[in-house]
Amino acid sequence: LFVKARDLLVNYLDYYDLERSKALTSKQMVEADIELSYYHQLVQKYEEFKSQECLVDFFDCLINYVQVGDSLPVKVVMIDECQDITALQWKVIEKAFAKAERIIMAGDENQALFEYSGARPDFLIDFAKKFPVEHLPISYRIPKNVFYLAKSIVNFIGEKTNKPFEPRKENIDGNIIQLLDIERIKNFISVEEL
């Protein structure tokens, strides 16, 4: 029973994090599989607890910076893995680097992994429409077989930018292994760790 209650609490707090990172719309909150009155009570209690204990969490830090933080005195900024940045984190970036002379961003919306936690690869796509973009013509880490498999999967992704590139030039094909059952996965992992 305790584990169920803890998991429910964590699940609701995850929704709160998504809401504060601007990853959920009001409509999505209503459609979510949560009891809204309980959710709002939990959020209220959570905020009261933080206030009484003089605590802030990660999202409080981001929100506070966007509201009252100053831009940083930097000339050049390099931001990697932009496909996994949330809407709130984009606001922090805009504020923090408003005075930067140059911003270099690296990312690939085809590699977005954290949409479940609020990442917005569509921002990267929009960014690429507004600013000069340089695509790397060669992937130096992907062997040929993996490249062709990945390319066939990427063709099913909806909105994306066209990024023609080739696999690395060395004559290495690479291996693709299908692990369809949990025992093979366990064995594969234990062999790889040796």
Side-chain angles (χ1 to χ4, degrees), residues 44 72 76 78 92-93 107 150 174:
Q44 181 181 349
L72 301 174
V76 178
M78 173 71 179
V92 169
I93 289 168

Side-chain angles (χ1 to χ4, degrees), residues 54-69:
C54 296
L55 300 172
V56 294
D57 64 18
F58 176 68
F59 292 95
D60 294 329
C61 293
L62 297 178
I63 292 165
N64 185 53
Y65 180 78
V66 169
Q67 292 172 346
V68 299

Side-chain angles (χ1 to χ4, degrees), residues 165-179:
F165 70 100
E166 296 297 322
R168 64 185 185 200
K169 296 294 181 192
E170 297 90 36
N171 196 14
I172 299 171
D173 288 335
N175 295 320
I176 298 172
I177 301 170
Q178 290 186 357
L179 301 171

